[in-house]
Amino acid sequence: MEKKILAKVGDKEISNIDIDSAIQGLDPYQAQQFQTEEGRKYVLEDLVNQELLYMYAKDNKIDQDEAFRNEMAEIEKNVLKQYVINQILTGVKLTDEEKQAFYEANKDSFSNPETANAKHILVDSEEKANEILAQIKAGDVTFEDAARANSTCPSKDQGGDLGTFGRGQMVPEFEDATFAMNVGDISEPVKTQFGYHLIKLEGKNEPSIPAYEEVADKVEKTLMFQKQGEVYKNKLDEVKAKFGDIVSYM
């Protein structure tokens, strides 16, 4: 974007880039209100006013007030703390060898969990479930149509389809029955706290360990977080060894 000077306050130039920067610093809802021509003029005027107030403050030596100096000292202290932390953390680097070794040593933590894809029919009684099951086995109705006609679960609108889920996402009785089935099977009635289910297993994916290339980003983030934590702790231990004797807890 070409820089265009829109105003000058003393020696200070205010450009279109300054306006863009000011707008980008707002939350998205506020920012959209200043994207019009009138909105940008308002932002320009505000930037001009800020420079005028700065000149006023300098001219009246407000920057020499004790209260201002105390506040600036506190701000400097907090910025310095954060700057030191950022220096410690950004100084941590990872080699390809480290990432590969970490992946090899922690493959299980990057594994794809076992999942199942199933449909179900939920009814209030075992008798009703067995009646529907008999109709499906006899070929009088498909599982999906039976779900639409009888299931009390909202999934009935999708023919009972629950999509893909992993262990821990369904109630134990339903989960145990589902993962014990073979693809294509329809279960006998399974009782849970919600009622009686007929389950049709559409598909199953066994646990698998992805290749390093598939999870390289995740490996890097995980190892970086771990290594930064170690480096930060070591630096704190070093600092405490030097200054710890001046710390007291009340």
Side-chain angles (χ1 to χ4, degrees):
M1 178 187 295
E2 182 181 353
K3 183 176 181 179
K4 182 179 180 182
I5 305 302
L6 303 176
K8 289 186 68 175
V9 183
D11 295 331
K12 172 68 176 179
E13 295 180 339
I14 301 174
S15 71
N16 56 321
I17 295 176
D18 295 317
I19 292 177
D20 289 339
S21 179
I23 293 174
Q24 289 169 9
L26 302 172
D27 68 64
Y29 177 76
Q30 288 181 309
Q32 69 179 3
Q33 300 180 56
F34 294 103
Q35 295 293 358
T36 63
E37 183 178 349
E38 285 301 314
R40 293 179 67 83
K41 285 181 180 178
Y42 181 89
V43 173
L44 174 61
E45 189 63 27
D46 186 57
L47 293 175
V48 168
N49 291 340
Q50 288 180 37
E51 290 302 319
L52 290 172
L53 288 171
Y54 173 76
M55 294 175 65
Y56 167 82
K58 296 293 287 185
D59 189 56
N60 287 274
K61 297 181 171 54
I62 293 175
D63 57 331
Q64 297 178 25
D65 287 355
E66 183 179 359
F68 175 78
R69 289 181 175 275
N70 290 339
E71 187 170 335
M72 285 303 297
E74 192 64 28
I75 291 172
E76 181 181 6
K77 183 193 295 185
N78 290 331
V79 171
L80 185 57
K81 293 174 188 175
Q82 192 58 53
Y83 182 79
V84 170
I85 292 173
N86 288 341
Q87 273 197 323
I88 294 169
L89 299 183
T90 57
V92 177
K93 306 298 180 185
L94 300 176
T95 65
D96 289 338
E97 291 75 17
E98 284 179 305
K99 291 183 281 188
Q100 285 275 3
F102 184 77
Y103 165 77
E104 292 296 335
N106 298 275
K107 279 185 176 180
D108 288 345
S109 64
F110 298 104
S111 65
N112 296 316
E114 182 182 17
T115 60
N117 182 287
K119 298 175 181 178
H120 83 140
I121 300 169
L122 175 63
V123 292
D124 295 333
S125 72
E126 185 175 11
E127 181 182 1
K128 179 67 173 177
N130 278 319
E131 178 185 323
I132 297 169
L133 180 60
Q135 292 174 353
I136 295 171
K137 287 182 175 180
D140 296 335
V141 65
T142 65
F143 189 95
E144 293 73 19
D145 285 342
R148 293 186 184 94
N150 299 281
S151 184
T152 60
C153 177
S155 65
K156 71 181 202 176
D157 294 335
Q158 290 77 47
D161 194 358
L162 295 171
T164 300
F165 53 88
R167 288 190 179 274
Q169 293 182 257
M170 300 294 180
V171 292
E173 302 90 343
F174 188 97
E175 176 184 294
D176 291 343
T178 301
F179 284 99
M181 294 170 62
N182 294 316
V183 175
D185 285 352
I186 297 175
S187 73
E188 296 295 317
V190 176
K191 184 181 180 181
T192 72
Q193 66 197 71
F194 302 107
Y196 291 85
H197 307 256
L198 295 177
I199 305 167
K200 181 181 180 182
L201 185 62
E202 296 287 311
K204 188 190 294 185
N205 293 311
E206 298 298 328
S208 63
I209 297 177
Y212 171 76
E213 291 73 21
E214 296 178 53
V215 291
D217 287 345
K218 187 176 180 181
V219 170
E220 182 172 4
K221 289 177 183 177
T222 304
L223 179 55
M224 178 62 77
F225 181 78
Q226 179 177 307
K227 193 170 180 180
Q228 283 180 332
E230 293 171 357
V231 170
Y232 182 68
K233 180 183 181 302
N234 291 338
K235 177 59 70 174
L236 278 181
D237 289 342
E238 176 188 326
V239 171
K240 287 177 180 179
K242 185 172 184 179
F243 301 107
D245 59 342
I246 66 173
V247 177
S248 59
Y249 295 95
M250 307 302 175

